[in-house]
Structures are given as C-alpha cells and as structure tokens.
Amino acid sequence: MFETSLTWNDVLFLLQGAGTTLTITFWAVLGGTILGMLFGLARATAPWWLNAPIGFVLDILRSVPLLIQFVLANSFKSILKLNVTAFTVGCVVLALYTAAYCAEIVRGGILAVPPTTRRAARSLGMTYTQDLTNIVFPIALRVALPSWIGLTLGVMKDTALVLWIGIVELLRSSQILVTRLQEPLFILSIAGLIYFLMSFPIARLGARLEKRWREND
C-alpha cells in the first residue's frame, strides 16, 4: 500500500510556490507584451537607423541564456547597491526576455498583412493611425495569437529559473520538500500536475479564441 509523509501543510507550501510562479508569470507577460508590441511595431515600421539598434539589443536578450541573465542582473543589483528585491529582479529580467520574443511575434504579425491591403486602406482616405488600428492590428492579432500563447506557456515554465536568485516558486518549493521527505517521484509528480493545471486553461483559451475567429470569418 502506498504511504507518504506529505502533509496538507506541505501541499499548501507547494500551492504558495505555485502562486509565486503565477504572479511572476503575470508581471513578466504583461510587461513583456507591452514592450514587445512597441519594439515589434518599431521593428516593422521604423527606419533602419532605429530598427538596427533595437534589433541588436533584442538579439542579445534572446541569445544569452536566461539563467545567466538572472545571475548577472542579481549580481549587478548588489554591486550597484540597488534597493530592489529578488522578486523584482526576476520579474524585470523575465519581462525583458519575454519582450525580445514578443517583439518578433508582433513584427511577424504586422508584416503578414498584405501590402495591397494597406494600400487599399490608405487609398480610401484612412490615416496611418487608422490603418494600424482598423486594418493591421486586427489581422496581426490573429496571426500572432498562437505564438503569443506558446510564449506565455514557455515563460511560465521559465519562472523555475528564478530559484537561482533565491525566490521560492513552485519548483523550488518542490525541491525543498524532496530534500526533507525523500519522495522525489511523488512530489515532482504533484508539481508537474500543478504546472499542467496552471497551463491548460491558457492553452484552451487560446484555442477557443482561434476557433471563434475562424467561425466569424
């Protein structure tokens, strides 16, 4: 018969870690999406002298492993004596990392709009702003949504790396319990189930939105 030393308090400890994971994911995706939209729009429409430096910075954020970014940011925080928490560092670094990928998603969505469609809109008397809000953004959103959902789910899993800067999120809380109870398979299975329960609604919401848009076409 299966026996475990896991108590209800231990489960609550895991759920607290899951709450931290969701909170970091929320702020990282929110900040990263806002920045990514701005950077993506600049990448798709700005002149080369603005596009090139933005692209260079985003390439750095995408190329350097996220773990190294966490460690470097946390180290510079101590060197510069900045009065910010490890939680804030984790959210900022992950938001910038998210923005680097979101910018390419937005850029791809904007460039997916046929130039003939945009020219037709301008020929009807639409301004540049009206062209973007009424023509480009609705079409780009449909193109970009699946990739953005995938990015969001990836960010949620990447939050596990914040344990290296001292944040107790879901993975770190499960490691603490594994060390204390010596039941790795059972505890990690529970942690995996919690990750699934957090990710599944996001994936289904994205699928439902895509289906609704297809039905309305």
Side-chain angles (χ1 to χ4, degrees):
M1 182 176 178
F2 176 76
E3 295 183 358
T4 178
S5 301
L6 191 72
T7 65
W8 178 244
N9 286 334
D10 295 329
V11 175
L12 290 179
F13 182 61
L14 285 174
L15 293 177
Q16 289 175 353
T20 301
T21 293
L22 285 175
T23 304
I24 295 175
T25 301
F26 172 79
W27 290 114
V29 171
L30 178 62
T33 299
I34 294 173
L35 290 174
M37 290 178 64
L38 296 175
F39 293 149
L41 180 60
R43 293 273 288 151
T45 61
W48 69 268
W49 52 266
L50 181 60
N51 194 333
I54 292 176
F56 178 72
V57 173
L58 296 180
D59 284 341
I60 292 176
L61 292 173
R62 285 194 300 269
S63 301
V64 177
L66 186 55
L67 177 58
I68 294 178
Q69 295 185 42
F70 279 129
V71 174
L72 289 177
N74 200 49
S75 299
F76 281 123
K77 178 202 74 170
S78 301
I79 293 172
L80 299 176
K81 297 183 176 10
L82 298 177
N83 188 25
V84 294
T85 64
F87 180 85
T88 301
V89 172
C91 289
V92 170
V93 171
L94 200 53
L96 292 174
Y97 184 78
T98 303
Y101 283 95
C102 187
E104 290 305 302
I105 293 174
V106 172
R107 185 179 73 90
I110 292 175
L111 295 180
V113 180
T116 53
T117 302
R118 301 197 64 182
R119 285 196 294 268
R122 300 301 292 273
S123 67
L124 292 175
M126 286 188 178
T127 64
Y128 177 77
T129 302
Q130 289 173 330
D131 173 33
L132 287 178
T133 56
N134 297 323
I135 304 297
V136 176
F137 287 161
I139 297 176
L141 179 60
R142 298 189 181 195
V143 174
L145 180 64
S147 298
W148 183 84
I149 292 294
L151 176 62
T152 300
L153 296 176
V155 169
M156 181 179 293
K157 291 180 287 186
D158 288 338
T159 58
L161 295 175
V162 300
L163 66 87
W164 290 96
I165 58 176
I167 300 176
V168 181
E169 41 64 68
L170 179 55
L171 181 60
R172 179 55 180 158
S173 62
S174 65
Q175 289 180 338
I176 292 173
L177 293 180
V178 167
T179 301
R180 180 165 61 84
L181 302 178
Q182 296 299 306
E183 298 178 10
L185 291 180
F186 182 56
I187 294 173
L188 290 177
S189 295
I190 294 177
L193 176 62
I194 295 174
Y195 273 116
F196 171 76
L197 293 176
M198 294 189 299
S199 302
F200 184 73
I202 299 174
R204 295 313 304 161
L205 175 61
R208 178 169 295 184
L209 288 174
E210 287 185 71
K211 181 179 179 181
R212 180 175 298 177
W213 281 337
R214 285 197 303 267
E215 291 175 349
N216 291 335
D217 287 339

